[in-house]
Amino acid sequence: MRTTRGTAQAVSPESPHLSLATVCLSGTLEDKLHAAAVAGFDGVEVFAPDLIAEALSPDEIGHRCRDLGLSVELYQPLRDIDSTDPDRFAANLRRADATFDVMSGLGADTVLVCSSVSPDTVPDRDRLAGQLHTLAERAHARGMRIAYEALAWGRHVHTWDASWEAVRVADHPALGMCLDSFHVLARGSDPAPIADVPGEKIFFLQLADAREVSMDVLSWSRHHRLFPGQGAFDLPGFLGPVLDAGYSGPLSLEVFNDVFRQSDPVRTAVDARRSLLALAEATAQRGSGADPVATPPAISGPAFVELRDPGAGPHGELGGVLHALGFTRTGVHRTKPVERWEQGDARLLVNAAGEDGSSAIAAIGVESADPRAAARRSERLCAPPLPRRTGPGEADLTEVAAPDGTSVLFCRSAPDGPGPAWSQDFVPTGDPVAAGTGVAGIDHIGLTQPYDAFDEAVLFHRAVLGLDTVADGEFAAPFGLVRSRALADDARRTRIALTVSLLRRGSWGPAVTDPQYVALATDDVLATASAARAAGVRLLDVPSNYHDDLAARLDLPADRMAAYRELGVLHERDADGDLLQVCTELLGGRLFLALVQRTGRHDGHGWADAPVRMAAHRRSRRNATTA
Amino acid sequence: MRTTRGTAQAVSPESPHLSLATVCLSGTLEDKLHAAAVAGFDGVEVFAPDLIAEALSPDEIGHRCRDLGLSVELYQPLRDIDSTDPDRFAANLRRADATFDVMSGLGADTVLVCSSVSPDTVPDRDRLAGQLHTLAERAHARGMRIAYEALAWGRHVHTWDASWEAVRVADHPALGMCLDSFHVLARGSDPAPIADVPGEKIFFLQLADAREVSMDVLSWSRHHRLFPGQGAFDLPGFLGPVLDAGYSGPLSLEVFNDVFRQSDPVRTAVDARRSLLALAEATAQRGSGADPVATPPAISGPAFVELRDPGAGPHGELGGVLHALGFTRTGVHRTKPVERWEQGDARLLVNAAGEDGSSAIAAIGVESADPRAAARRSERLCAPPLPRRTGPGEADLTEVAAPDGTSVLFCRSAPDGPGPAWSQDFVPTGDPVAAGTGVAGIDHIGLTQPYDAFDEAVLFHRAVLGLDTVADGEFAAPFGLVRSRALADDARRTRIALTVSLLRRGSWGPAVTDPQYVALATDDVLATASAARAAGVRLLDVPSNYHDDLAARLDLPADRMAAYRELGVLHERDADGDLLQVCTELLGGRLFLALVQRTGRHDGHGWADAPVRMAAHRRSRRNATTA
């Protein structure tokens, strides 16, 4: 059956082909094929509208694919073929013949046939089966085959088991099912019984994730699909039964997404491949498939956060603020202008390298039991190590780039264990240990993402760091809508809070651009903030209007409210507990520090109060400029 | 009751206050108040989150408003007040008291109370009425009043008549209804019976339009509202009954829109005010309200389209193309480097002024029976005339700027009638009349809009030109999603097709940016395109793949398909007829011409084939660059 496949590569159960639908990417078909090849995909699904707009003939496209090392795994879609009257069906078969001609040029042997959405289709099981049989016979005569898929919004066939029933009754060797995780999971269907379908009747598998949204399933499918690991669907729970059924064809991504449709296609394709590799790994961990099981790194908290304070010299602003916050300068890097500051389990590096640019979060060191294994796995997940200049005798830390450009380093603080400890690169200062202000560690790290990189960043932190989504939302900031997503490990030792401006701002947008912050944990934010303020840290002014509203909502004691007003405390409460925050003013262009106290099991990241904070930072910036 | 109003302006039935909710605009509260005042609003609704994030106290905000000439018409919202147990209600009354304090500072006498969405609210009519009565009594004691509104997603009260029932039963002079067009129309409720409600019990009126979308009503309301005239709701059909009931309060806009939340607030506020003025006019035309009835201009087709061909000189590229297309150069402007070209009813001006910049559509002249009246009305609708340098003896044409910067001129071609004829400024060339290629007129004008200006442009063309929406959709272009909207007069003599890239493109986006075109009408596109091609016009190559697909879909005669392939014809068919198009290659950076033939009652604008055309223009551009 698969003799017309373009490449000689066999599909073995040990290493399924990884495939990408061209509809996932931005650009012309040529751009898309190039991107899929660069990202290392084995094959592609060719989406008909991409081919129709392309000047290369199907034959030339087929050659191009082979030159790029890509199989054409599927041509798609053939719509509204079946369950119609004989005249219409005859016209549809003419369309099918033209499609087979295209496929013949491409070197594709499988075509996706979607369940009909046409108003002229009738709910007649025998007619459906008969017409599918006829179509399959026609394909068979040309060495091709039909993969029949239930669209979630199909007129009469809209569940995977209805499509299986049609395929079973039509009973032709060139007719099988195409399963698409979106259509199955968006309808809330149970994928488990798929394990009982004969594997050879599953001709093709399309994978897509999605965020939970409330809209009609057609719009959701056409605009808001995501790569596996970026959304809320249980993809390993879907892929498992399919592999258990004996499916051995490609794992293929079909993701209609408005953002990806306009993003750099090479970057999107790399993100796509990472998602499939991580999905195969996660599915193998649940006992399905033959993917080599690599354990996600056991991240046990941030080892450090490195702040860039370019051109600051040894007594830069950040160092002064950390000193006033009760941090001790415990070390100076052997070869670089980097200082290590510590208080409790909070370790911050201040890097004064560079002449210009604004203060920013340069790197996050994550504590890993086996940094080298974590780095190897990261490389397998398309996050290769960055080139790193390591001086003689310095720790050989592996550094990878997160999608927003922040470096992530796998490292360990313990002096023994595999690989070097990161802190060996610092010469102790002998500075006296400061009394501290009660900072106990790093609560979370807040990073604004570039628009095109948000979903990619979510996948990166899930797949490469092994974190998981703990919060997902949106808020209306003063200068536009912001999407938020927080990822953390189970023990909540490493928390990363991502935000993105949902519509890019044009010339109007006088807010602080792309803020970043480190939230420091304390058990008593009032004490910590008071001490910091007394030592000269400039805390962010929070408007009285906010505290008046808070007092009306929460009925807090008067002395507590007075302290709140004095120190600029933001206070969020939900059913799980409370989150209290005090922020510094901006340190440079977009960086600030926050002091955070959690009570109960509050699992938030300050987003309810973020609009107030953002307006206050903008006000403070404007006042500083006009002063 | 309205003694605490901040300004002394009386609300008379003749000129209702025009008011804007601060939530409609981007920025901090200070930015928003400034913008509302600049746009000429009489008052504002203050949205609580805007106040809470603001450093000015309520008292200071009230002063600021009075300095700016703005009344604070409403403070909003008070949520989840009613239908709950007595303890919770007591806590809610404390919140209400704090709200009355804020209002007292602001100088606002009316507060919006939304129907409760809280899980603890109970469906108890008497409890609801009792608690509303208590709340109203509390407000009354402070000289304030309660405007109770049914949220479309309220837990038990979610229709306007249910809110009226509650207000009627609670029966307190300080309690009335707030009506919001979105909540009424999004649920499909009939607004006509509102005319029977005593007008004095309608305390406040909020107006919003929306596009028809399929999503949950809460998301629709919070993200996708539009100003009246930008969406699909019948706003005059809503406002009419409210005015007929005797409502004499402000007409206030409450529009939650993700785009407006990040756009220049002054520009958004002007757009907002235009929408209210146009709505009042349209409502008056249907016989409700006391707005002076101004008739929209009777646009009877495009008088001309002016193309900018900077630095081209007398024999520029555009002139050559028009000559090859069979146009005759009929006139040269008395004082400017502008030529007039004509064929049938298609009149194109080519303006060679300027040294740099790319070819573009500079202006659209619309044929109007009374250009001066149209200009006066335009000015009333916040589209004032642009300064214009008119030479001695030249026609004094009124020019206004559309949101994308294109000029619109109201003019007439007939030599007699009120005001000067635009063509008197051109000296006849005496050039022999060309045989022509069958171009009969201008079919439509295609304009890509700046991201922030799309909905504003829709309103401009509806309100100022009197056009109406005839098509509304989206398509997936090679480099991202595109929203489309076409506006036309009833007779389809003037058609304007607007498009906008739905997500702005970052560094990846090698397509033709912001294309513009003039579609020329012909009754035989094959003949016209053949003649043009023979005369040397470079027609856009359309890929064979497109025609192969077309042949499989439409079963056209072989000779016709051969001509299509030869000439690059794009062919769309729907139930109403066919649209055939042939495009030129780009003339300069982003401008092209199209030849368009319609059959039957086809009312489209070539959007089904636009992705193919866009890929072809990009290919042609790339080939030209690399050649």
Side-chain angles (χ1 to χ4, degrees):
Chain A
M1 273 314 298
R2 302 182 67 82
T3 48
T4 57
R5 173 174 294 284
T7 70
Q9 287 179 264
V11 176
S12 80
E14 285 71 32
S15 64
H17 266 204
L18 300 187
S19 163
L20 182 68
T22 57
V23 75
C24 302
L25 302 179
S26 183
T28 63
L29 186 56
E30 286 193 77
D31 298 321
K32 295 173 182 208
L33 297 176
H34 168 75
V38 168
F41 276 94
D42 305 304
V44 291
E45 301 177 26
V46 173
F47 186 52
D50 286 328
L51 180 126
I52 288 166
E54 176 56 54
L56 296 179
S57 70
D59 212 53
E60 290 167 326
I61 297 167
H63 275 97
R64 173 70 58 89
C65 288
R66 285 186 287 280
D67 289 348
L68 291 167
L70 296 168
S71 321
V72 182
E73 310 282 0
L74 186 80
Y75 184 68
Q76 62 124 332
L78 249 179
R79 296 189 194 277
D80 298 332
I81 286 289
D82 58 71
S83 307
T84 185
D85 65 74
D87 284 354
R88 180 68 63 110
F89 183 62
N92 291 348
L93 284 180
R94 211 185 58 240
R95 276 201 287 133
D97 286 339
T99 299
F100 298 148
D101 292 343
V102 169
M103 292 165 62
S104 172
L106 291 175
D109 68 359
T110 308
V111 61
L112 176 72
V113 171
C114 304
S115 62
S116 181
V117 301
S118 172
D120 66 13
T121 190
V122 292
D124 176 337
R125 183 184 110 143
D126 293 338
R127 179 177 291 190
L128 169 60
Q131 292 184 345
L132 285 179
H133 188 97
T134 303
L135 181 68
E137 183 58 33
R138 201 110 158 184
H140 190 60
R142 302 188 60 164
M144 293 171 181
R145 50 188 215 158
I146 304 295
Y148 180 65
E149 174 185 76
L151 294 179
W153 54 92
R155 196 160 174 93
H156 303 299
V157 174
H158 40 245
T159 59
W160 76 263
D161 42 326
S163 65
W164 168 230
E165 172 74 2
V167 165
R168 199 184 55 73
V169 174
D171 190 25
H172 192 286
L175 177 68
M177 266 196 295
C178 174
L179 290 172
D180 180 320
S181 63
F182 182 87
H183 293 300
V184 176
L185 300 176
R187 291 190 63 99
S189 301
D190 179 8
I194 294 172
D196 300 327
V197 171
E200 69 277 10
K201 296 306 278 185
I202 306 175
F203 280 8
F204 208 76
L205 179 64
Q206 294 179 315
L207 296 160
D209 199 347
R211 194 174 285 118
E212 294 289 357
V213 294
S214 77
M215 61 172 65
D216 70 297
V217 71
L218 176 59
S219 305
W220 189 18
S221 172
R222 291 278 170 83
H223 299 290
H224 302 285
R225 291 186 181 207
L226 292 167
F227 294 126
Q230 295 178 335
F233 287 174
D234 177 12
L235 266 298
F238 173 83
L239 179 56
V242 177
L243 296 178
D244 292 348
Y247 174 73
S248 61
L251 305 185
S252 191
L253 295 163
E254 192 199 27
V255 170
F256 300 79
N257 180 290
D258 293 350
V259 177
F260 303 158
R261 273 191 193 278
Q262 56 85 57
S263 308
D264 180 337
V266 171
R267 189 161 173 168
T268 308
V270 170
D271 188 33
R273 188 150 168 274
R274 176 183 298 141
S275 83
L276 277 185
L277 293 166
L279 170 60
E281 179 190 275
T283 309
Q285 276 157 14
R286 294 211 210 160
S288 297
D291 203 71
V293 176
T295 314
I299 298 298
S300 56
F304 62 82
V305 176
E306 181 176 335
L307 307 175
R308 192 161 55 89
D309 198 15
H315 302 291
E317 184 184 17
L318 274 179
V321 169
L322 293 179
H323 178 75
L325 268 171
F327 278 70
T328 304
R329 196 181 60 130
T330 60
V332 173
H333 196 276
R334 289 176 198 281
T335 60
K336 299 171 188 162
V338 181
E339 296 182 337
R340 185 184 63 203
W341 292 80
E342 297 187 65
Q343 183 175 183
D345 282 332
R347 289 169 291 273
L348 298 176
L349 307 186
V350 179
N351 187 339
E355 286 298 310
D356 47 18
S358 174
S359 300
I361 293 178
I364 301 170
V366 289
E367 198 75 61
S368 167
D370 187 347
R372 285 187 179 137
R376 278 194 304 275
R377 182 173 167 283
S378 166
E379 183 156 16
R380 206 177 78 81
L381 291 172
C382 315
L386 294 173
R388 197 171 155 84
R389 287 169 302 283
T390 305
E394 289 177 20
D396 179 26
L397 303 176
T398 302
E399 182 176 356
V400 299
D404 64 358
T406 310
S407 289
V408 173
L409 296 96
F410 298 102
C411 49
R412 62 181 179 78
S413 297
D416 48 5
W422 66 276
S423 54
Q424 74 178 50
D425 293 346
F426 289 83
V427 181
T429 57
D431 285 3
V433 174
T437 57
V439 169
I442 292 173
D443 182 89
H444 68 280
I445 299 152
L447 295 167
T448 307
Q449 298 299 297
Y451 182 73
D452 286 3
F454 186 74
D455 294 309
E456 183 186 347
V458 168
L459 176 61
F460 174 90
H461 288 106
R462 285 180 80 164
V464 177
L465 298 191
L467 306 180
D468 218 335
T469 298
V470 296
D472 190 2
E474 279 179 10
F475 59 85
F479 298 94
L481 218 68
V482 173
R483 176 166 293 157
S484 58
R485 187 116 173 220
L487 297 108
D489 60 325
D490 287 345
R492 303 293 193 266
R493 283 177 296 197
T494 302
R495 288 178 182 267
I496 297 184
L498 306 176
T499 52
V500 66
S501 185
L502 267 186
L503 295 167
R504 292 190 197 154
R505 295 190 293 253
S507 49
W508 163 255
V512 175
T513 304
D514 297 339
Q516 296 186 323
Y517 65 96
V518 180
L520 302 166
T522 167
D523 289 335
D524 184 347
V525 75
L526 296 183
T528 303
S530 287
R533 192 161 188 265
V537 178
R538 288 178 302 126
L539 302 179
L540 182 66
D541 264 348
V542 171
S544 293
N545 296 344
Y546 169 84
H547 290 119
D548 291 346
D549 179 69
L550 185 68
R553 285 188 288 117
L554 296 191
D555 200 16
L556 298 165
D559 57 340
R560 175 160 274 263
M561 281 310 309
Y564 279 14
R565 290 175 194 273
E566 178 74 13
L567 297 167
V569 178
L570 300 166
H571 184 156
E572 297 184 10
R573 175 173 291 173
D574 65 16
D576 296 322
D578 297 71
L579 182 83
L580 283 67
Q581 296 178 74
V582 172
C583 299
T584 69
E585 292 207 355
L586 290 168
L587 309 166
R590 60 174 181 141
L591 181 71
F592 65 94
L593 300 175
L595 305 169
V596 166
Q597 177 184 352
R598 291 176 190 275
T599 65
R601 297 178 157 275
H602 192 96
D603 209 13
H605 300 81
W607 291 327
D609 288 334
V612 175
R613 186 255 296 161
M614 292 169 83
H617 269 137
R618 186 241 175 165
R619 192 159 42 233
S620 145
R621 157 73 48 83
R622 195 190 49 190
N623 292 346
T625 312
T626 54
Chain B
M1 272 309 302
R2 301 183 68 80
T3 49
T4 58
R5 174 172 295 282
T7 70
Q9 287 179 263
V11 176
S12 81
E14 285 71 33
S15 64
H17 265 205
L18 300 188
S19 161
L20 182 68
T22 57
V23 76
C24 302
L25 302 178
S26 183
T28 63
L29 185 57
E30 285 192 78
D31 297 322
K32 296 173 182 208
L33 296 176
H34 168 76
V38 168
F41 276 94
D42 305 304
V44 290
E45 301 177 25
V46 173
F47 186 52
D50 285 328
L51 179 127
I52 287 166
E54 176 57 53
L56 296 179
S57 70
D59 212 53
E60 290 166 327
I61 297 167
H63 275 97
R64 173 70 58 89
C65 288
R66 286 185 286 280
D67 289 348
L68 291 167
L70 297 168
S71 322
V72 181
E73 310 281 359
L74 187 81
Y75 185 68
Q76 61 125 330
L78 248 180
R79 295 189 193 278
D80 298 332
I81 286 290
D82 58 72
S83 307
T84 187
D85 64 74
D87 284 354
R88 180 67 64 109
F89 184 63
N92 291 347
L93 284 180
R94 211 186 57 240
R95 278 200 288 132
D97 286 339
T99 298
F100 299 147
D101 292 343
V102 169
M103 292 165 61
S104 172
L106 290 175
D109 68 0
T110 308
V111 61
L112 176 71
V113 170
C114 305
S115 63
S116 180
V117 301
S118 173
D120 67 13
T121 188
V122 293
D124 177 336
R125 184 184 109 142
D126 293 338
R127 180 178 291 188
L128 169 60
Q131 293 184 345
L132 285 179
H133 188 99
T134 303
L135 181 68
E137 184 57 33
R138 202 110 158 185
H140 191 61
R142 300 188 61 163
M144 292 170 183
R145 51 188 214 158
I146 304 295
Y148 179 66
E149 173 185 77
L151 293 179
W153 53 92
R155 198 165 174 90
H156 304 298
V157 175
H158 40 245
T159 59
W160 75 263
D161 42 327
S163 66
W164 166 231
E165 172 73 3
V167 165
R168 198 185 55 74
V169 174
D171 190 25
H172 192 285
L175 177 68
M177 267 196 295
C178 174
L179 289 172
D180 180 319
S181 63
F182 182 88
H183 294 300
V184 176
L185 300 176
R187 293 189 62 100
S189 300
D190 179 9
I194 294 172
D196 301 326
V197 172
E200 70 277 10
K201 296 305 278 185
I202 305 175
F203 279 8
F204 208 76
L205 179 64
Q206 295 178 315
L207 295 160
D209 199 345
R211 194 175 283 118
E212 293 288 358
V213 294
S214 77
M215 61 172 64
D216 69 295
V217 69
L218 176 58
S219 305
W220 188 20
S221 172
R222 292 276 170 85
H223 299 289
H224 302 286
R225 291 186 180 207
L226 291 167
F227 294 126
Q230 295 178 335
F233 287 174
D234 176 14
L235 266 297
F238 174 84
L239 179 56
V242 177
L243 296 178
D244 293 347
Y247 173 74
S248 61
L251 306 185
S252 191
L253 294 163
E254 190 199 27
V255 170
F256 299 79
N257 179 291
D258 292 350
V259 177
F260 304 157
R261 273 191 192 281
Q262 56 85 58
S263 308
D264 179 336
V266 170
R267 188 161 172 166
T268 308
V270 171
D271 188 35
R273 188 151 169 273
R274 175 184 299 142
S275 83
L276 277 185
L277 293 166
L279 171 61
E281 179 191 275
T283 308
Q285 276 156 13
R286 295 211 210 159
S288 297
D291 202 70
V293 176
T295 313
I299 298 298
S300 54
F304 63 82
V305 176
E306 180 176 337
L307 306 174
R308 191 162 55 90
D309 197 16
H315 302 291
E317 184 184 16
L318 275 178
V321 169
L322 293 178
H323 178 73
L325 269 171
F327 278 71
T328 303
R329 197 181 59 128
T330 59
V332 173
H333 196 277
R334 290 176 198 282
T335 61
K336 298 172 188 161
V338 181
E339 296 182 337
R340 184 183 64 201
W341 292 80
E342 295 187 66
Q343 183 175 181
D345 283 332
R347 290 169 291 273
L348 299 176
L349 307 186
V350 178
N351 187 339
E355 286 297 309
D356 47 17
S358 175
S359 300
I361 293 177
I364 301 170
V366 289
E367 198 74 62
S368 168
D370 187 347
R372 286 190 177 134
R376 279 194 302 276
R377 183 172 166 281
S378 167
E379 183 157 16
R380 205 178 75 84
L381 290 172
C382 315
L386 294 173
R388 197 172 157 83
R389 287 169 302 282
T390 305
E394 289 177 18
D396 179 25
L397 303 176
T398 302
E399 182 177 357
V400 300
D404 65 358
T406 309
S407 288
V408 173
L409 295 97
F410 297 102
C411 49
R412 62 178 179 80
S413 298
D416 47 7
W422 66 275
S423 52
Q424 74 179 50
D425 293 346
F426 289 83
V427 180
T429 57
D431 286 0
V433 174
T437 57
V439 169
I442 292 173
D443 183 90
H444 67 279
I445 299 152
L447 295 167
T448 308
Q449 297 301 297
Y451 183 73
D452 285 3
F454 187 75
D455 294 309
E456 183 186 348
V458 168
L459 176 61
F460 175 88
H461 288 105
R462 285 180 79 165
V464 177
L465 298 192
L467 307 182
D468 217 336
T469 297
V470 296
D472 190 2
E474 278 179 9
F475 58 86
F479 299 95
L481 218 68
V482 173
R483 176 166 293 158
S484 58
R485 189 116 173 222
L487 297 108
D489 60 325
D490 287 345
R492 303 294 192 266
R493 283 179 296 199
T494 302
R495 288 179 182 266
I496 297 185
L498 306 176
T499 52
V500 65
S501 185
L502 267 186
L503 295 166
R504 290 190 199 157
R505 295 190 293 254
S507 49
W508 163 255
V512 175
T513 304
D514 298 339
Q516 295 186 325
Y517 66 95
V518 180
L520 301 167
T522 167
D523 288 336
D524 183 347
V525 76
L526 296 182
T528 303
S530 287
R533 191 162 188 265
V537 178
R538 290 177 303 126
L539 302 178
L540 183 66
D541 264 345
V542 171
S544 292
N545 297 342
Y546 169 83
H547 289 119
D548 292 346
D549 180 70
L550 186 67
R553 286 190 287 116
L554 296 192
D555 200 17
L556 298 166
D559 58 338
R560 176 160 274 264
M561 281 310 309
Y564 280 14
R565 290 176 194 272
E566 179 73 13
L567 298 167
V569 178
L570 299 166
H571 184 156
E572 296 184 11
R573 175 173 291 173
D574 65 17
D576 296 322
D578 297 71
L579 182 83
L580 282 67
Q581 297 178 74
V582 172
C583 300
T584 69
E585 293 207 354
L586 291 167
L587 308 167
R590 60 174 180 140
L591 181 71
F592 65 95
L593 301 175
L595 305 169
V596 166
Q597 178 184 352
R598 292 176 190 275
T599 66
R601 298 178 158 274
H602 192 96
D603 209 13
H605 300 80
W607 292 326
D609 288 334
V612 174
R613 186 255 295 162
M614 292 170 84
H617 269 137
R618 185 240 177 167
R619 194 158 41 234
S620 145
R621 157 75 47 84
R622 196 190 48 189
N623 293 346
T625 312
T626 54

